[in-house]
Amino acid sequence: DTAVSQTPKYLVTQMGNDKSIKCEQNLGHDTMYWYKQDSKKFLKIMFSYNNKELIINETVPNRFSPKSPDKAHLNLHINSLELGDSAVYFCASSQGAGGELAKNIQYFGAGTRLSVL
Amino acid sequence: AQSVTQLDSQVPVFEEAPVELRCNYSSSVSVYLFWYVQYPNQGLQLLLKYLSGSTLVKGINGFEAEFNKSQTSFHLRKPSVHISDTAEYFCAVSGWTSYDKVIFGPGTSLSVIP
């Protein structure tokens, strides 16, 4: 029973295409995240939602749009894919909300490896 | 804002030898500190965390870390490594304020040599 699951695991696509990555967590957590890990393993947060509300929105191109239909799901849609979007994208979740958010353990999915050709 | 430095990008070590992975942070406010591990082709999982209290924190798989406020460090140690410890290790920091995000360091690749 996977706690944080992402689909697809691998995504190979052409430049200019639009693609989506889905994430679901069955931990009952209130907060979900999207991270991008580049080829040098550097991990950077992109977005965070708490109870379906956007709370962290880092400086990413507006071609990236997160959507949270409910607090167990956070999807990432990417328009007009570019070569530089190639990376591993991780979804994560954590319990709690408000001022205590920062200290909570984050549970990560296995990642989606996106290759843009 | 916070930042994290991991001085060693790669650390090779022989099996059963001790290891220390270094982490330094900068912050103008009090912080929470974490170490996460990423095994090949997997997501990150928490090894240990420091929130407050005792500066020596014990985690899973025999790892421990010591918070040193004066040196702004949070080094990770294990007295005897196994082949299965080969992985990427990430130090992370967050502030105490509401909705502070967790900032991850660049990672240290630990390779255990048989």
Side-chain angles (χ1 to χ4, degrees):
Chain A
D1 228 13
T2 306
V4 181
S5 58
Q6 298 177 226
T7 53
K9 191 166 182 177
Y10 299 96
L11 186 51
V12 181
T13 187
Q14 300 283 340
M15 258 184 5
N17 284 351
D18 303 338
K19 290 293 179 186
S20 291
I21 307 171
K22 295 186 177 182
C23 179
E24 176 182 3
Q25 54 95 2
N26 62 6
L27 298 166
H29 288 166
D30 292 321
T31 307
M32 296 184 73
Y33 311 80
W34 277 111
Y35 287 89
K36 179 180 180 181
Q37 187 176 48
D38 63 23
S39 58
K40 295 183 179 178
K41 303 276 187 177
F42 186 68
L43 196 68
K44 191 170 190 302
I45 190 165
M46 300 172 70
F47 304 103
S48 178
Y49 272 74
N50 177 257
N51 272 321
K52 301 195 296 175
E53 179 187 346
L54 182 66
I55 56 170
I56 294 174
N57 186 358
E58 289 295 287
T59 308
V60 301
N62 57 14
R63 299 181 293 104
F64 290 79
S65 52
K67 283 189 173 52
S68 183
D70 55 61
K71 73 174 192 177
H73 295 84
L74 180 61
N75 303 323
L76 183 66
H77 188 76
I78 315 169
N79 288 326
S80 303
L81 277 155
E82 300 178 357
L83 293 176
D85 297 333
S86 295
V88 182
Y89 291 84
F90 286 101
C91 176
S93 72
S94 67
Q95 194 174 20
E100 296 292 288
L101 187 68
K103 71 177 184 180
N104 292 314
I105 300 167
Q106 295 190 22
Y107 293 82
F108 283 76
T112 296
R113 188 173 294 275
L114 172 64
S115 298
V116 182
L117 307 177
Chain B
Q2 293 78 39
S3 67
V4 181
T5 304
Q6 292 180 247
L7 296 170
D8 306 302
S9 59
Q10 295 184 337
V11 174
V13 63
F14 286 104
E15 196 174 11
E16 297 183 7
V19 70
E20 178 180 83
L21 305 183
R22 295 180 292 170
C23 172
N24 288 86
Y25 69 92
S26 70
S27 176
S28 57
V29 298
S30 296
V31 296
Y32 300 129
L33 292 157
F34 309 83
W35 275 99
Y36 281 82
V37 61
Q38 183 181 23
Y39 297 106
N41 298 314
Q42 293 186 28
L44 281 72
Q45 61 185 91
L46 186 76
L47 269 180
L48 47 81
K49 63 179 180 179
Y50 171 79
L51 302 181
S52 64
S54 172
T55 57
L56 184 63
V57 180
K58 292 191 184 299
I60 62 171
N61 301 339
F63 284 93
E64 63 179 32
E66 187 156 19
F67 171 55
N68 187 319
K69 189 174 181 180
S70 62
Q71 295 186 7
T72 60
S73 68
F74 190 55
H75 300 332
L76 180 71
R77 301 185 185 97
K78 186 170 182 178
S80 174
V81 295
H82 301 286
I83 296 287
S84 58
D85 292 324
T86 294
E88 195 81 20
Y89 291 79
F90 293 91
C91 183
V93 64
S94 70
W96 284 12
T97 55
S98 298
Y99 299 117
D100 258 332
K101 53 184 183 275
V102 176
I103 305 297
F104 286 86
T108 295
S109 179
L110 175 64
S111 299
V112 180
I113 306 162

